[in-house]
């Protein structure tokens, strides 16, 4: 045997670099289901079902191409339950001349992979992940010498480099960004078309049994699992989004509605992040819909910006700044994560809805993650390590390279402003404007003090007062700081004391020790 090619659970792509010069007659592909990867954080049950089922389907796909796959199933005798252990076992069994593997998406695994050559005693070639549209080197080059690493400028360069939504050297429609047109409130009677649901086949059904048996105490539920687990299903999901929901994606991108977490969102992050869907294919499909008159520019540009811009940018930041990025706590937030992040048992309806959706679906859309659970964590001063771990656990699309910058950078400002020019702090007024949550809440969104006052209101002003000195220096936060200065000191004192009482009444839970209700 010549070359052992290793494919990880988030590398399920036909064109993955490790298979580039595959010789099916002499090479073998190694794939392994290992406990370590299911438990380094206690992932949502649906995330484990997704990855293990997609791996099993991908192995079948390779076999259909004539590739010999050494597949180590979870229950196989001798499974060491670590990727390094399975690599070493395969080396002993198959005696390859070399190993080829695509670089890992996460820092911790990449650090381990770097030691594989020495451990295996044979050449281990770690090749770059060409599925991303910006390499590490290109991002470093872009970042070099810049005072601020703003996504908007990175995004423009990506549009130019990949020729997406360009008219010559100029952006299509004369503007790079149509976000200002994307913050509408959705009419009550509007019914977004439901996304396609992919019923579990025999492979997925057996993985569900495995997950219930092995990871029954993890957060969430396996019930109603319907995520794409093959490339074909991921393409169907994309096609359905482009034809049925993309046209309205822009207008109501920021809106949140009770009982409807998806609205006009694409629901494709789980597929892109494990390799079932190519990000450039998704961008091109949206661009084509605009060219054909099927979707307006504000929607298409907004969608493409998320993928070509944000997705690539957060990965760039992660690899540029790790491992220090994972330690940032610029606002010195130290409060423990409250128990209701696991149980959804809180009188704050917005939090109960966002956490309830998350527990059920391993999904919440961007604004629920940023402006509800993220915003609360920011205002309440929750410890970034615990919040970071929560987000890694609860979403089916969570991989550290994308989760961490979104959480520590965008939501918590724990990186001190590497990603965002200001903290995304908002009071209840924002949530009321962009959702229907407040109408069904025990709290009164119009009140900032006293009985029934909305916690987001007094926590918001407490946050501004607590960080006043730092925020004063930030021109984008000048307005709330000025408003605070003009407020009656007695009122400020009342809000701050209510915030202190509220925060000290929260029950915390140690993350990781989550025997949560499903
Ligand atoms: P849509 O809203 O339809 O957007 C289309 C695609 O754009 C997404 O599939 C995603 O690939 C990409 N995208 C959009 N926003 C971002 C962003 N800020 N960063 C990176 N890609 C983006 N995304 C993850 O994939 N994994 C995570 O673990 C994750 N954690 C997050 C945590 C927080 C606190 C926040 C604020 C955002 C997080 N995001 C994460 C980004 C975003 O919320 C999800 O990508 C999105 O909700 C996925 O749903 P969708 O496919 O329906 O996306
Ligand atoms: Fe959330 Fe406050 Fe609205 Fe209740 S009133 S849903 S706590 S913002």
């Amino acid at each position: 045997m010549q070359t052992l090619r290793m494919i990880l659970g988030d590398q399920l792509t036909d064109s993955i670099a490790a298979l580039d010069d595959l010789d099916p007659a002499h090479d073998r592909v190694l794939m392994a289901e290992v406990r370590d990867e299911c438990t380094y954080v206690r992932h949502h049950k649906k995330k484990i079902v997704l990855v293990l089922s997609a791996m099993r389907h991908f192995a079948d796909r390779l076999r259909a191409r004539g590739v010999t796959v050494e597949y180590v199933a979870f229950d196989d005798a001798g499974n060491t339950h670590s990727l390094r252990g399975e690599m070493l076992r395969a080396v002993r069994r198959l005696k390859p001349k070399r190993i080829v593997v695509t670089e890992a998406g996460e820092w911790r695994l990449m650090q381990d992979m770097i030691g594989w050559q020495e451990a295996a005693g044979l050449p281990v070639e770690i090749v770059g992940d060409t599925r991303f549209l910006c390499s590490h080197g290109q991002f470093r080059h872009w970042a070099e010498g810049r005072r601020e690493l703003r996504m908007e400028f990175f995004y423009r360069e990506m549009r130019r480099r990949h020729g997406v939504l360009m008219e010559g050297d100029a952006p299509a429609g004369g503007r790079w960004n149509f976000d200002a047109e994307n913050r509408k409130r959705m009419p009550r009677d509007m019914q977004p078309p439901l996304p396609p649901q992919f019923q579990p086949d025999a492979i997925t059904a057996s993985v569900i049994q495995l997950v219930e048996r092995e990871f029954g105490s993890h957060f969430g539920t396996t019930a109603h699992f319907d995520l794409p687990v093959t490339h074909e299903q991921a393409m169907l999901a994309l096609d359905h989004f482009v034809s049925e929901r993309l046209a309205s994606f822009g207008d109501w991108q920021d809106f949140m509605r009770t009982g409807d977490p998806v609205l006009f969102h694409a629901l494709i992050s789980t597929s892109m992040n494990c390799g079932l869907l190519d990000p450039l294919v998704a961008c091109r499909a949206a661009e084509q819909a605009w060219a054909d008159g099927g979707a307006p520019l504000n929607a298409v540009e907004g969608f493409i910006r998320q993928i070509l811009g944000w997705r690539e940018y957060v990965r760039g930041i992660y690899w540029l700044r790790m491992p220090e990025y994972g330690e940032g706590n610029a606002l010195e937030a130290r409060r423990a994560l409250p128990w209701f992040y696991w149980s959804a048992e809180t009188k704050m309806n917005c939090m109960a809805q966002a956490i309830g959706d998350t527990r059920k679906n391993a999904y919440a859309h961007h604004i629920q993650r940023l402006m509800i659970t993220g915003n609360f964590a920011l205002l309440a001063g929750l410890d970034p390590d615990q919040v970071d771990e929560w987000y890694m656990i609860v979403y089916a699309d969570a991989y550290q390279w994308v989760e961490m910058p979104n959480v520590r950078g965008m939501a918590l400002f724990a990186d001190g402003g590497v990603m965002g020019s200001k903290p995304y702090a908002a009071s209840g007024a924002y949530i009321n404007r962009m959702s229907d949550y407040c109408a069904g809440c025990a709290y009164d969104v119009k009140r900032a003090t006293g009985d029934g006052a909305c916690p987001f209101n007094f926590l918001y002003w407490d946050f501004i007062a607590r960080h006043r000195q730092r925020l004063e220096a930030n021109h984008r936060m000048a307005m709330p700081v000025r408003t605070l200065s003009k407020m009656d000191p007695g009122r400020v004192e009342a809000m701050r004391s209510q915030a202190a009482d509220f925060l000290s009444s929260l029950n915390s839970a140690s993350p990781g020790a989550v025997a949560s209700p499903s």
Side-chain angles (χ1 to χ4, degrees):
M1 190 210 151
Q2 293 292 330
T3 305
L4 182 67
R5 297 172 186 275
M6 196 149 174
I7 301 287
L8 311 184
D10 59 353
Q11 299 180 344
L12 311 178
T13 312
D14 291 338
S15 60
I16 190 80
L19 301 184
D20 262 359
D21 53 350
L22 171 88
D23 172 1
H26 297 103
D27 298 349
R28 303 252 174 112
V29 168
L30 173 66
M31 298 177 71
E33 300 174 358
V34 296
R35 185 178 293 278
D36 277 7
E37 294 304 309
C38 301
T39 54
Y40 70 89
V41 297
R42 295 162 57 92
H43 296 289
H44 193 296
K45 288 178 201 161
K46 278 195 171 139
K47 161 115 186 255
I48 305 177
V49 174
L50 164 70
V51 175
L52 298 188
S53 174
M55 282 175 69
R56 291 182 183 191
H57 282 94
F58 189 72
D60 283 348
R61 186 180 176 87
L62 289 176
R63 289 186 192 108
R65 275 170 59 188
V67 177
T68 308
V69 182
E70 294 286 321
Y71 195 92
V72 183
F74 197 90
D75 291 330
D76 281 356
N79 188 340
T80 57
H81 286 290
S82 82
L83 290 171
R84 176 188 277 247
E86 285 315 291
M87 178 275 295
L88 290 174
R89 223 160 53 96
V91 166
R92 283 197 295 275
R93 196 169 63 243
L94 304 166
K95 304 196 173 24
K97 295 205 169 59
R98 64 175 189 142
I99 295 175
V100 179
V101 61
T102 309
E103 64 180 324
E106 297 187 352
W107 175 264
R108 82 189 152 86
L109 194 49
M110 193 62 196
Q111 293 314 106
D112 189 51
M113 224 179 232
I114 288 166
W116 285 8
Q117 174 154 313
E118 199 184 331
L122 78 174
V124 175
E125 193 182 331
I126 303 175
V127 293
D129 194 338
T130 50
R131 297 170 304 168
F132 288 95
L133 301 166
C134 181
S135 69
H136 299 317
Q138 285 167 332
F139 193 85
R140 257 196 315 275
H141 179 70
W142 172 79
E144 234 160 51
R146 281 174 194 265
R147 206 168 51 84
E148 291 185 328
L149 303 179
R150 294 291 164 251
M151 197 292 293
E152 191 60 33
F153 298 107
F154 168 77
Y155 166 58
R156 291 177 193 181
E157 197 160 309
M158 292 294 282
R159 289 264 296 273
R160 285 197 196 93
R161 186 184 305 156
H162 293 279
V164 176
L165 284 185
M166 295 298 293
E167 289 166 345
D169 282 343
R175 272 157 56 196
W176 292 104
N177 184 320
F178 290 80
D179 219 14
E181 290 161 37
N182 288 351
R183 296 197 182 107
K184 298 194 179 120
R185 202 185 151 83
M186 189 181 287
R188 214 171 279 167
D189 56 357
M190 182 171 233
Q191 276 311 326
L194 287 177
Q197 297 175 331
F198 301 97
Q199 296 310 322
D201 62 5
I203 292 179
T204 305
S206 79
V207 172
I208 289 175
Q209 278 183 0
L210 166 77
V211 169
E212 287 297 349
R213 187 190 75 218
E214 295 290 332
F215 308 109
S217 65
H218 282 213
F219 181 71
T221 171
T222 58
H224 310 294
F225 180 90
D226 61 0
L227 294 168
V229 290
T230 65
H231 169 69
E232 286 73 18
Q233 290 179 344
M235 283 304 292
L236 274 174
L238 174 69
D239 290 349
H240 185 273
F241 166 72
V242 169
S243 62
E244 305 293 325
R245 301 200 302 285
L246 172 61
S248 301
F249 172 83
D251 288 353
W252 293 291
Q253 191 181 337
D254 286 4
F255 195 72
M256 299 168 281
R257 188 150 80 179
T258 307
D260 193 350
V262 178
L263 299 168
F264 289 101
H265 289 269
L267 218 61
I268 55 170
S269 52
T270 54
S271 300
M272 277 196 293
N273 294 356
C274 73
L276 301 178
L277 185 65
D278 183 327
L280 195 56
V281 166
C283 293
R284 295 280 183 222
E287 187 181 31
Q288 192 60 47
W290 169 67
D292 296 343
L297 191 52
N298 72 307
V300 170
E301 187 283 309
F303 176 71
I304 287 174
R305 176 158 24 91
Q306 308 308 316
I307 297 172
L308 195 58
W310 280 109
R311 187 170 186 271
E312 296 291 330
Y313 168 81
V314 298
R315 175 179 184 257
I317 294 283
Y318 176 79
W319 283 103
L320 191 69
R321 296 291 176 134
M322 280 299 277
E324 297 78 24
Y325 203 82
E327 286 153 23
N329 189 0
L331 298 181
E332 295 175 37
R334 313 245 178 260
R335 190 172 302 283
L337 194 82
W339 172 247
F340 62 68
Y341 269 78
W342 304 112
S343 69
E345 285 162 2
T346 161
K347 286 196 304 176
M348 292 179 283
N349 192 36
C350 51
M351 291 291 281
Q353 295 298 331
I355 296 165
D357 287 346
T358 298
R359 203 164 58 154
K360 204 161 118 202
N361 308 317
Y363 177 83
H365 77 61
H366 185 69
I367 299 300
Q368 290 176 299
R369 298 187 203 196
L370 182 63
M371 300 309 293
I372 305 292
T373 43
N375 184 26
F376 184 89
L378 171 74
L379 300 182
L382 303 188
D383 180 339
D385 291 347
Q386 295 191 22
V387 180
D388 199 353
E389 188 175 17
W390 184 80
Y391 277 95
M392 265 304 288
I393 287 175
V394 302
Y395 292 112
D397 60 18
Y399 298 83
Q400 199 182 50
W401 61 266
V402 52
E403 173 275 337
M404 183 184 277
N406 271 299
V407 172
R408 298 188 95 104
M410 198 185 297
L412 301 182
F413 206 72
D415 65 2
V418 175
M419 264 187 66
S421 53
K422 71 174 184 89
Y424 277 95
S427 68
Y430 172 89
I431 296 170
N432 194 29
R433 194 164 60 248
M434 296 312 297
S435 77
D436 68 357
Y437 295 150
C438 300
C441 187
Y443 293 108
D444 182 351
V445 72
K446 299 274 188 291
R447 302 194 63 175
T449 53
D451 270 359
C454 165
F456 279 84
N457 290 339
F458 52 74
L459 289 177
Y460 175 79
W461 290 112
D462 181 58
F463 173 82
I464 301 290
R466 204 161 73 237
H467 297 291
R468 187 181 189 139
Q469 229 177 358
R470 172 187 273 273
L471 298 178
E472 253 165 1
N474 182 330
H475 73 278
R476 294 197 64 201
M477 292 304 286
M479 201 155 80
V481 175
R482 256 199 321 273
T483 308
L484 182 76
S485 319
K486 288 183 196 152
M487 274 184 193
D488 169 42
R491 181 171 163 76
V492 175
E493 190 38 50
M495 287 192 293
R496 297 209 64 186
S497 125
Q498 193 158 354
D501 289 349
F502 177 85
L503 290 173
S504 65
S505 75
L506 298 175
N507 290 324
S508 62
S510 90
V514 191
S516 72
S518 60

